[in-house]
């Protein structure tokens, strides 16, 4: 497994379990990612959402952008471009999907959305 770093805020860890986890796999799309995350931030919904950005070793400052502008987003910064499936699987492992219930802690979100960074509302 390649090294990666995961960043999250204490507020996110203390929040109620997510009903929806949004996973965004990113590679050198900082401008699109910024628009996508702004769109998600502006969305109104009555349930808990957790957003995870998996950055596949972008060289355009994408990871720094997430850290600086979107502290509520959990960031997985891969040391190399591991590809689409491995990147998404890293986020699913962070969410606890590599644990067999009932051992998963915290509780698994019932819904996970794999979202393209070019998506805006």
């Amino acid at each position: 497994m390649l090294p990666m770093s995961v960043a999250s805020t204490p507020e996110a860890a203390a929040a109620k379990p997510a009903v929806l986890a949004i996973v965004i796999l990113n590679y050198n799309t900082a401008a699109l990612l910024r628009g996508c995350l702004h769109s998600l931030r502006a969305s109104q919904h009555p349930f808990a959402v957790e957003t995870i950005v998996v950055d596949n070793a972008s060289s355009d400052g994408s990871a720094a952008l997430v850290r600086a502008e979107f502290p509520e987003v959990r960031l997985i910064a891969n040391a190399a471009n591991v590809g689409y499936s491995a990147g998404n699987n890293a986020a699913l492992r962070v969410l606890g999907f590599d644990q067999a219930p009932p051992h998963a802690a915290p509780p698994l979100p019932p819904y996970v959305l794999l979202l393209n960074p070019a998506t805006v509302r």
Side-chain angles (χ1 to χ4, degrees):
M1 178 182 277
L2 292 169
M4 66 178 163
S5 63
V6 178
S8 184
T9 63
E11 295 80 19
K16 59 185 173 183
V19 172
L20 171 65
I22 301 172
V23 175
I24 303 169
L25 185 71
N26 180 72
Y27 180 67
N28 288 330
T29 60
L32 294 172
L33 180 62
R34 177 183 280 126
C36 180
L37 292 173
H38 276 297
S39 180
L40 289 174
R41 184 185 274 166
S43 297
Q44 300 294 318
H45 39 76
F47 47 86
V49 175
E50 179 176 9
T51 302
I52 300 175
V53 169
V54 180
D55 185 72
N56 266 344
S58 295
S59 60
D60 66 351
S62 293
L65 165 100
V66 173
R67 284 185 193 103
E69 295 184 30
F70 302 94
E72 72 277 12
V73 172
R74 188 183 297 198
L75 174 66
I76 300 173
N78 287 326
N81 184 348
V82 297
Y84 183 79
S85 296
N88 284 321
N89 285 339
L92 294 174
R93 278 191 301 277
V94 165
L95 288 167
F97 282 94
D98 61 338
Q99 304 286 323
H103 305 295
L108 300 175
Y111 302 99
V112 176
L113 171 64
L114 303 180
L115 188 64
N116 188 298
T119 304
V120 293
R121 187 181 118 169

